[in-house]
Amino acid sequence: MADEVIEQKKFPYMSLTAWAKLRRTYQKVAWPSKVTNNSLASALDWSEKAVQNIMPQLRNIGLIDVAGVPTDLAHDFRFEDSYPAVCEKIIADTYPLELREVFSDPNSDPVKVAQWFMRHSKSGEASAKAQAKFYLNLLAAEPLKDEEKPKPSAPRKPRAKVAPGSDAKPAKASTTAIDSPVLSQTEHASTEAHPTHAPAKPRHQDGPSLHIDMQVHIDPAATPEQIDSIFASMAKHLYGR
């Protein structure tokens, strides 16, 4: 007979994130006289669709009655000093003695706890894992952790401004650049290619000599194949190879 009661029981489940959000919200504001999907969504700042699965869980663990009216347990739920007693009450009223005796430690293996729920509530694996996590979370009855604040982003460096009407133009680089899909403009390793000679053309001995310096900036994320392709393209266009 006891086994039949366990099989027919619908055990509660709720993500730890949703549970923490619920605790944090109702520590700041009082429960409404009647909890509805709309009032719960407004309090949690979620959509009504997102809270549809939370309402049945609140009824299941006794925070609201069938009409949606918050219970005395819901009042105690709001305060850290009474929260452990609330968890004990929920566990005693919701879960069978067999589960409480076998898994009384919040550090119990969640896999084994989930297997218990799969056997006794005919839950699928995903549902059983959610039920097990929620049960172990109630056993732990830990104080609510401080909400993490997002880290401030680093300030952007101001761009150089050009005075209105100014004809100033960015200074041209003294070297010749080669475009490539893997080339980057800043913070990249530099390599220099120095042609050993210009194309063989007759020139006057008293004429000026020509020397070309070429600098290639290669993205550090470039693959060896891309680097080989860059230099192969250079050889093709510069030396006709």
Side-chain angles (χ1 to χ4, degrees), residues 154-170:
R156 295 182 178 179
K157 295 181 179 180
R159 294 182 178 179
K161 296 182 179 179
V162 179
S166 173
D167 294 332
K169 297 182 179 180

Side-chain angles (χ1 to χ4, degrees), residues 167-207:
D167 294 332
K169 297 182 179 180
K172 294 184 178 180
S174 60
T175 57
T176 303
I178 295 181
D179 294 332
S180 169
V182 296
L183 298 188
S184 178
Q185 296 179 352
T186 59
E187 297 182 359
H188 297 314
S190 300
T191 60
E192 292 189 357
H194 299 282
T196 57
H197 61 277
K201 289 184 179 180
R203 61 186 177 90
H204 300 288
Q205 294 182 352
D206 56 349

Side-chain angles (χ1 to χ4, degrees), residues 134-155:
F134 186 65
Y135 170 73
L136 294 175
N137 186 47
L138 291 175
L139 277 180
E142 295 178 345
L144 192 60
K145 297 180 180 179
D146 293 335
E147 193 170 9
E148 294 184 0
K149 296 181 180 180
K151 296 181 180 179
S153 57

Side-chain angles (χ1 to χ4, degrees), residues 5-122:
V5 173
I6 294 175
E7 289 178 356
Q8 295 175 359
K9 178 70 177 179
K10 293 184 178 180
F11 296 106
Y13 62 90
M14 192 182 305
S15 72
L16 305 190
T17 301
W19 183 250
K21 176 72 172 179
L22 195 70
R23 291 179 61 189
R24 188 172 287 110
T25 298
Y26 288 106
Q27 283 183 359
K28 299 175 182 178
V29 301
W31 290 92
S33 57
K34 183 177 181 180
V35 179
T36 63
N37 284 340
N38 184 41
S39 66
L40 191 61
S42 298
L44 299 178
D45 195 22
W46 289 349
S47 66
E48 286 194 44
K49 184 177 181 180
V51 302
Q52 284 179 353
N53 290 331
I54 296 181
M55 288 288 291
Q57 312 312 319
L58 297 182
R59 294 191 184 95
N60 201 353
I61 61 180
L63 292 186
I64 60 176
D65 62 18
V66 292
V69 178
T71 62
D72 291 339
L73 194 66
H75 174 75
D76 294 337
F77 171 81
R78 298 184 57 213
F79 306 99
E80 285 293 324
D81 57 351
S82 55
Y83 177 71
V86 170
C87 291
E88 289 181 7
K89 175 70 173 172
I90 294 174
I91 291 173
D93 293 349
T94 308
Y95 300 97
L97 181 61
E98 176 185 324
L99 175 67
R100 288 180 277 141
E101 288 181 341
V102 176
F103 302 108
S104 58
D105 186 350
N107 295 317
S108 298
D109 186 350
V111 175
K112 293 182 178 179
V113 179
Q115 289 174 348
W116 186 95
F117 281 104
M118 289 182 67
R119 286 194 302 269
H120 294 89
S121 65
K122 297 181 179 180

